[in-house]
Amino acid sequence: MEFKAEHRTIINAVTLFLWITLLNMDRRLNILSTTFLNQFGEVVNFKNYFLTSLFQMNMKTGKGWVDVGNAMMADGFFQAAMVGLEQLYCKLMQRASTEADITLQKSAMERDLFKVVSYQAEAAIALGDFQRASSCSLRCKDMLIRLPKMTGYLHILCYNFGIEAYKQNKYEESSFWLSQSYDIGKMDKNTIGPEMLAKVLRLLATAYLDWNDREYCDKALHAVNLANKEHLNPAGIFLKMKILLKSETANEELHEAVMEILHLDMSLDFCLNVAKLLMDHEREFVGFDLMKIICERFKSSEDIGKALLLHIDMLLQRKEELLAKEKIEEIIIGHRRGRKLKPELVSCFHNILWQKAARSFEVQNYAEALNWYHYSLRFYAIDKTDLDLAKLQRNMASCYLHLKQLDKAKASVREAERRDPINIFTQFYIFKIAVLEQNSTRALRAINTLERLITGVVPKENALRMDKDSPVTLLSLVAQFALENGQQIVAGKALEYLAQYSEDPQQVLSALKTFYFQIHIKVKDFKYKIFLFNAAVLKIAHSFHDKNSTEDSTVNEAQWFRKIAWNLAVQCDKDPVTMREFFILSYKLSQFCPSDQVILIAQKTCLLMAAAVDLEQGRKASTTSEQTQLLNRALEEINECKHIWNILKETGNFSGDPCETLLLLYEFEVKAKMNDPLLDSFLESLWELPHLECKTFETIALLAVEKPAHYPSIALKALNRALLLYKKKQSIDAVKYSKCVRNLINLLVPDGVPSTELCPPEEIWGYFEDALSFISHTEDYPESETLWLMVKSWNIGIYMYGGKKYVSAEKWCDLSLRFLDHLGSLKRNYETQMNTLYGELVEALSKSKGSVFNEE
């Protein structure tokens, strides 16, 4: 029974209270008994009664504390009990009236004293105080002359102490307690039988033996001889053999001891155990001699098969293979003639043969392994008992494959498939043969069957029982075998299943790297490589949560796969979708690497490239849902890239890096095309950015009106800002300026019709005037752009004329002529025609009476 800390505290408190109460009562009783004596002249023995009660309470409380494991607390109570017992003894001796009375009182007191001292020994053992425990036990032993009935109790107590010490490997203490137990037991042979004494002596001999010192072997031998003399027992005889072997006794003496055993008519099993003990200690001479005697003595026994099999096993272990084969032939012939092995021994016989075959296989002696498997096959032909014949055929097939005997291997595999088609190892050998025959279809079929077996599609009662890692390890071997034999497609399928089911990330990563080296030149199709890197991402992630893997090795693997994925992305510049896949894979793998500047730059680039591809694919999307999906994915990449960019900026100067500008443009495109309600707030912060360039504003303008986005007002504002920035430059690039002007005019005058909703006519006129003014002060303005403005303004004039806005029409046509004046070499081509047209227009206007009043 165990007490919690709080319970023990309560017990201590209650005990202390009772103790103090009784002591106070003891003082009162002194007065009370004296008073009674003075008044009545008689002794009323209340005090003796309470002293006895106090002693009993201390002794029993102490024993209770020992039983619950608090020896320290118990020891205090036992000391108090001893003091109380001495006081009680003095009081009782003073009051005793006769000699018989004194003898009776002393006997009772000694019994109590024996109990307290024995309890003190228990407490000392619990506290690890051997000296005190032994002193208490010897004191109790001296008291046995007067208390013979306590002999059995003390004998068992010392025996238990010996067992505890032996369990704690305290052999010296154990030998002391067991010796005391034996000595005490001899004092009362009527109660303690020879079997118990022999048991104590055998344990004593074992303690001496395990003391692991040669000088104690003699003591161990003496103890076991005494035990066998007290009561002969197979355990004692076997222990004696162990001691003799430990003491390196000569073979002649061992042989004599063996003969003594045989004269005692011990059982076959006991004799075989002795033979195995001899062989385990490399005493082959005595062991084999004993085996011959055993086989002869028990030849008529129905259990003789045990001896024969042990003899064969011993011969094989000592590499006496010729003699072992003779014995095997004897068993096979004897079994055929009616001397059958018991069913349980048949399985043992096959195991011996298979183990020997396995050892031959391990040293690559495949022909010899086949010989041992053939013995098993021959015995099965006679016996027909339960044997895993399919496994035997698979093992033989493996030997044949190593010996390049493909036809024999196929025959063995066919037999294994007939008997156990849903075994993974059967399918493994079917696969190997298919690969060797270059039969990819059958090899893939075998791999698919393996996958079904691993996932438990096959009924459990038909599945082979094996270690859970065996099927996955087999997939690794399958992939490796296929690669070694040039079957990349087959290997890819095996690796796919390996990555799916293996719980060992390192195993998968090693297989994936091997696979990559095999296919990176030979196979042009990137889908296998994408699968390979996706599998690597999953397994590296798993490896980070695996306690058995080291962080450094996982980081190294991640670095290797990250760099290869990056290189593959660069190689796929003509296939943007595949390029994005590899950039994303490289990014995912980089997340398992230390976040230094190099990694952050790589992550930023990967996400920018992936977002760019998604936006481009979104522009080409055939459906709205597809476009939305691509834009959402791009937005996720943009947000993640912004986070990385903010971290990266803190590590150095990146003023020349266009990342921030690209992120702004990408995010604007997504928000514009998805009609994001937060677009206006996004633009408010964008307009305030000081570092944006003309090109950025021009790109914003283009994106603002690129379908499905339609924000002409944003485009107009962006183009205005771009023109303003151009004008602020010391040296204006007239070509870029002219293109910006063209974009602005096209936005305001789509299809030659001024857009009054976007901008009033006066502002449109102002943009043309600004352009004309710029042209008049710039020599580098492209002539083709001046010509374009001339045509555009003329067309607006004609549009106005058609709308009966004659004054406006004349004004726009006049503006067109002013642009004409700034043409260079092209002026001659257009001057005559334009002047003629303008004259016709003016004439038409003069004929239109009241035209001014018809204009809105």
Side-chain angles (χ1 to χ4, degrees), residues 505-510 513 533 536 540 543 550-564 589 592-593:
Q506 197 59 47
Q507 178 192 44
V508 177
L509 292 173
S510 296
K513 287 170 83 171
F533 282 90
I540 290 173
S543 184
T550 61
E551 185 175 348
D552 288 343
S553 65
T554 306
V555 169
N556 289 337
E557 295 290 0
Q559 286 279 26
W560 188 90
F561 280 101
R562 176 187 74 81
K563 292 175 182 177
I564 298 298
L589 289 159
F592 303 110
C593 303

Side-chain angles (χ1 to χ4, degrees), residues 29-69:
L29 284 170
N30 277 325
I31 300 169
L32 185 63
S33 64
T34 305
T35 303
F36 281 3
L37 180 63
N38 291 336
Q39 288 183 359
F40 301 105
E42 300 178 356
V43 177
V44 181
N45 210 1
F46 287 117
K47 184 176 180 181
N48 290 347
Y49 172 76
F50 276 101
L51 283 173
T52 304
S53 299
L54 182 60
F55 163 76
Q56 292 290 338
M57 186 198 74
N58 280 322
M59 182 177 68
K60 291 179 180 178
T61 303
K63 177 61 171 160
W65 281 118
V66 170
D67 291 342
V68 299

Side-chain angles (χ1 to χ4, degrees), residues 25 356 368 371 851:
M25 289 178 68
K356 177 57 184 171
E368 185 65 15
N371 286 334
S851 62

Side-chain angles (χ1 to χ4, degrees), residues 614-615 618-619 626-636 638 669-670 673-674 708:
D614 281 334
L615 289 172
R619 297 180 195 116
E626 182 187 359
Q627 186 181 56
T628 302
Q629 182 181 359
L630 289 164
L631 292 174
N632 277 323
R633 193 166 71 177
L635 187 61
E636 291 176 7
I638 292 163
E669 180 175 357
V670 172
K673 289 181 176 178
M674 294 183 69

Side-chain angles (χ1 to χ4, degrees), residues 597-692:
Q597 191 181 78
V598 173
I599 293 297
L600 289 171
I601 291 172
Q603 290 178 338
K604 178 259 296 183
T605 307
C606 286
L607 289 169
L608 276 177
M609 294 299 294
V613 172
D614 281 334
L615 289 172
E616 182 61 31
Q617 294 302 115
R619 297 180 195 116
K620 299 175 182 177
S622 57
T623 63
T624 304
S625 60
E626 182 187 359
Q627 186 181 56
T628 302
Q629 182 181 359
L630 289 164
L631 292 174
N632 277 323
R633 193 166 71 177
L635 187 61
E636 291 176 7
E637 292 153 358
I638 292 163
N639 288 332
E640 183 63 27
C641 191
K642 283 166 67 178
H643 172 70
I644 292 168
W645 173 245
N646 289 332
I647 297 171
L648 184 60
K649 285 190 293 185
E650 297 175 2
T651 66
N653 182 12
F654 293 91
S655 56
D657 194 314
C659 176
E660 191 159 3
T661 302
L662 289 172
L663 287 172
L664 286 170
L665 293 174
Y666 291 171
E667 187 171 2
F668 172 74
E669 180 175 357
V670 172
K671 290 181 180 295
K673 289 181 176 178
M674 294 183 69
N675 197 21
D676 192 324
L678 300 177
L679 180 61
D680 289 336
S681 60
F682 170 76
L683 286 170
E684 284 176 11
S685 59
L686 187 146
W687 299 132
E688 302 302 323
L689 293 175
H691 61 277
L692 296 184

